[in-house]
Amino acid sequence: MRRALPGLVVAIALLALWQTWVVAFDIPVYLVPSPLTVARTLVADAALLGRALWVTVQVTLLALAAAVLLGVAIAFAFVQSRWIEAALFPYVVLLQVTPIVAIAPLIIIWVQNPTLSLVICATIVALFPIIANTTLGLRSVDAGLADYFRLQRASRWQTLWRLRVPGALPYFFGGLRIASGLALIGAVVAEFVAGTGGTGTGLAYQILQAGYQLNIARMFAALTLIALTGVLLFVATDLVTRWALGGWHESERVGR
Amino acid sequence: MSAIELRAVEKTWENGVQALRPLDLRVERGEIVTLLGPSGCGKSSLLNIVAGLTEASAGDVSVGPDERIGFVFQQATLMPWARVAANVRLPLDLAGVARAEANARAAEALRRVGLGAFAEVWPRELSGGMQMRASIARALVTEPTLLLMDEPFGALDEITRNRLDDELLRVRREQQLTVLFVTHSIHEAVYLSDRVVVMAARPGRVVAEVAITTDEPRDDAFRVSTTFARHARDLQQALLAAARDADEALA
Ligand SMILES: Nc1ncnc2c1ncn2[C@@H]1O[C@H](COP(=O)(O)OP(=O)(O)OP(=O)(O)O)[C@@H](O)[C@H]1O
Ligand SMILES: [Mg+2]
């Protein structure tokens, strides 16, 4: 909690500055709404924005879950066989380097179910760090421990479960932290693309609509919700990581 | 039958480095034999060959068929994600020993190295010396008959090292144990060994074998005795002679 304090102080100071600036210079609300106006809009449009938030959160979480399942499965396949990795890795990279805005329209056309198409887009965005980190982690076995397992004639299975998997956990969670943010970005970006097709009802769609109607306050309110969702996701992954790695991992004790 | 018998064992790495020139080595049951030599003379290579971690390029390696090998690395190599007791239990878990029995034996091994109170802490919460002791407990828990130790106390301060040397001697008295021990400390070699095998580098080879014969008990008085000093001097001279030969060969 004490770590959050400095950030909170800065946030309050910035909001106060912003409020003063808007009031003092009489900035019109259709250009920059004041924080208080945004807060009032959040309350007034709570039902509308709440529904949109729920859609975006759903897409994000589904995509994150899919990325974790797929990514971990692919990473396991990669470390089981160099051949599989050599065959598939180029396509994983291809997926990673192709901008999602470029493929999203295709996916939205091909996949009839709008939620599913958004989930697919967001999954593609979030997948890479999970694959890359988990593969790296499963490979980065401590050489001494690997020797020890060999000395004890551990089976391939024992070596996987007792050595490779626990050793890969910190890497996996590093990937998860990045992927959680990317899943949200993917969900929002995909919805922007889909929004023009008239299917979206998530936060991105609300931003688009508010933009057309010059309802800048509502735009800011939706933006705020997206940002808050991102922060909450980040905190949640952090908590899960700390719970899973418990007391043992170095990175989990630095400065805590 | 000897615990270890090496005949004309040699090792040349894939990159052409000759780590060991053909050498013979016999270790009798119950003996403590130390490999003493400068860095790079192939001590680890030799130990790993005995353990079966490394394949010899040529020669015969035979380890007594009834020997149970325990291995202690230069680093503690504990699993950071498992508490100390679980680390010590690992070889039993891998061998499929029942959980209750494994726990009891791990607790006993920890007690023997003086870590009885630290079973449930994380390895990183232990000092370097304590981690090393946990690693020794992990080697002892399988009740080995042959203990291979690769500079196990090399990274520790002298006081801790001396204490762990004493513990090793005590464990060895309590259970019949053959030990092949690697060190580059002359004093440690004299203190622990029945016999010291002196090695030289480039290429790795055995240059002398010194038996440490004494009736004195191995304790602090032994460390300052004339017998100790005489053996230490012999070893030092053997090491220096080997280094001189190597320098002349280079020149
Ligand atoms: N995996 C390897 N591949 C190639 N060369 C190696 C390998 N391991 C060791 N060597 C070489 O073999 C020689 C002997 O190495 P070894 O590790 O056995 O020495 P050491 O006596 O244990 O030294 P130290 O006291 O520093 O641990 C060295 O010249 C080293 O460079
Ligand atoms: Mg070595």
Side-chain angles (χ1 to χ4, degrees), chain B residues 31-46:
Chain B
E31 245 190 326
I32 296 195
V33 173
T34 296
L35 303 176
L36 175 71
S39 189
C41 70
K43 305 182 296 290
S44 297
S45 304
L46 188 57

Side-chain angles (χ1 to χ4, degrees), chain A residues 75 79 81 90 107 165:
Chain A
V79 294
S81 137
I107 293 173
V165 168

Side-chain angles (χ1 to χ4, degrees), chain B residues 12-204:
Chain B
T12 305
W13 291 103
E14 296 77 30
N15 58 10
V17 173
Q18 193 180 17
L20 292 172
R21 218 154 66 174
L23 64 81
D24 297 329
L25 178 69
R26 248 178 116 104
V27 178
E28 301 302 333
R29 303 201 65 174
E31 245 190 326
I32 296 195
V33 173
T34 296
L35 303 176
L36 175 71
S39 189
C41 70
K43 305 182 296 290
S44 297
S45 304
L46 188 57
L47 209 64
N48 290 343
I49 287 172
V50 173
L53 280 173
T54 303
E55 191 88 37
S57 309
D60 268 352
V61 179
S62 80
V63 174
D66 300 330
E67 301 292 348
R68 262 194 315 276
I69 296 184
F71 199 104
V72 180
F73 295 94
Q74 190 160 352
Q75 277 89 33
T77 43
L78 301 172
M79 301 178 293
W81 54 84
R83 292 172 194 268
V84 171
N87 265 290
V88 171
R89 207 178 53 216
L90 175 66
L92 304 179
D93 288 346
L94 291 175
V97 175
R99 180 50 70 92
E101 188 195 337
N103 279 336
R105 282 169 65 180
E108 164 62 19
L110 277 169
R111 204 187 45 72
R112 226 177 328 163
V113 299
L115 286 181
F118 296 90
E120 290 309 317
V121 307
W122 299 104
R124 66 165 177 79
E125 293 171 313
L126 298 181
S127 72
M130 292 159 88
Q131 291 182 10
M132 220 47 237
R133 278 193 271 167
S135 176
I136 292 169
R138 183 179 62 183
L140 292 179
V141 79
T142 55
E143 284 170 6
T145 55
L146 173 58
L147 199 53
L148 306 175
M149 306 179 89
D150 190 355
E151 292 187 43
F153 313 136
L156 305 177
D157 67 278
E158 200 171 334
I159 293 170
T160 310
R161 171 195 287 216
N162 291 349
R163 215 179 42 232
L164 289 177
D165 285 345
D166 284 333
E167 279 176 19
L168 177 62
L169 289 176
R170 185 172 51 77
V171 169
R172 184 248 193 157
R173 271 198 305 277
E174 285 172 6
Q175 65 192 81
Q176 258 306 301
L177 200 58
T178 312
V179 183
L180 182 56
F181 191 98
V182 168
T183 184
H184 49 224
S185 157
I186 292 174
H187 290 95
E188 191 172 40
V190 175
Y191 190 70
L192 288 177
S193 316
D194 296 320
R195 193 150 53 89
V196 181
V197 174
V198 181
M199 297 179 70
R202 277 160 308 222

Side-chain angles (χ1 to χ4, degrees), chain B residues 162-163 166 191 216-225 228:
Chain B
N162 291 349
R163 215 179 42 232
D166 284 333
Y191 190 70
E216 300 164 52
R218 312 264 170 150
D219 55 19
D220 287 341
F222 177 57
R223 286 185 194 281
V224 293
S225 68
F228 189 97

